[in-house]
Amino acid sequence: GAEFEMIDVGGIDRSSPSFPNPFGQIPALSDGDVQLFESGAILLYLAQKYGGMDSPEKLASVSKWVVWANAALDPIVFKENESGQVLDTGLKSRPRKIERFEEILEGRQWLLGDEFSVADVAVASYLLYGIMFFPDLNMRKWPNIARYMAAAAQRPAYGKAFGAKTAAMLAQKCSGPLSEDEKKFGFF
């Protein structure tokens, strides 16, 4: 991957016109003269500039997943009120799209096959955020999704971005053995 610098935005005036997100929120990216906000826009930019997605066909292979993550997966993972406060997650049940995603991942390491891409950054991030927000969430009821999430959390770049302790905890929650209570109450 490309080298990057993470900045602690706690010490930055996010209301400044020079901040890349005009709404003062994160994520935001400055890359030379380019300023971007919104995770999907940032990922697609990075895919084109640094990730080898330099043709419409290649870009389409990741774009569909980045857009799906933002448009379809986000509202499943995060149930929000009108103010945008996260109240719950749809991952406690068995949403149809998640059941289908479990089937899609059968026999695949990553969304594009054996190659990790920004498509995986978008999708796996939402899924892993689900566990961060809802620590008791059991994703192992979907073995392919849990395997996928654990592999994403174990990537060195994920550890660099979120911290080794968080990455290890998330990987363990996705790949660790079922507890006796989980077995007893039929989580599988």
Side-chain angles (χ1 to χ4, degrees):
E3 289 298 315
F4 65 93
E5 176 187 2
M6 286 188 9
I7 298 172
D8 179 3
V9 294
I12 291 178
D13 178 8
R14 292 191 280 161
S15 65
S16 166
S18 65
F19 189 73
N21 188 326
F23 302 100
Q25 298 172 314
I26 49 176
L29 173 75
S30 291
D31 185 29
D33 293 334
V34 175
Q35 292 194 324
L36 288 164
F37 59 99
E38 290 299 327
S39 61
I42 292 168
L43 289 173
L44 294 174
Y45 169 79
L46 294 172
Q48 273 190 296
K49 184 159 184 186
Y50 301 105
M53 300 294 155
D54 52 4
S55 72
E57 295 79 11
K58 289 179 182 177
L59 190 58
S61 70
V62 295
S63 295
K64 60 189 173 189
W65 287 110
V66 171
V67 171
W68 182 79
N70 289 335
L73 185 57
D74 177 313
I76 293 170
V77 175
F78 299 113
K79 300 292 184 187
E80 300 178 358
N81 66 16
E82 315 78 50
S83 301
Q85 295 170 308
V86 175
L87 303 175
D88 204 356
T89 180
L91 294 172
K92 291 178 182 175
S93 63
R94 289 191 170 267
R96 187 176 45 104
K97 289 179 182 174
I98 299 300
E99 294 288 324
R100 177 67 184 120
F101 187 57
E102 170 70 10
E103 294 169 4
I104 289 168
L105 286 176
E106 179 72 35
R108 290 189 195 189
Q109 181 175 4
W110 304 111
L111 290 172
L112 301 185
D114 292 335
E115 185 178 329
F116 183 83
S117 71
V118 297
D120 301 297
V121 173
V123 173
S125 292
Y126 273 111
L127 293 168
L128 290 164
Y129 275 130
I131 296 175
M132 286 186 211
F133 275 68
F134 303 96
D136 294 333
L137 186 61
N138 179 11
M139 293 302 292
R140 289 171 289 165
K141 60 187 167 186
W142 298 293
N144 293 320
I145 294 173
R147 172 192 43 79
Y148 171 77
M149 292 170 65
Q154 291 168 346
R155 290 181 51 80
Y158 192 89
K160 184 176 179 182
F162 289 93
K165 186 176 175 182
T166 297
M169 178 273 296
L170 291 170
Q172 190 282 325
K173 281 187 167 282
C174 293
S175 59
L178 289 174
S179 71
E180 289 306 312
D181 284 341
E182 289 171 324
K183 291 176 188 174
K184 192 182 318 178
F185 291 108
F187 282 101
F188 258 99

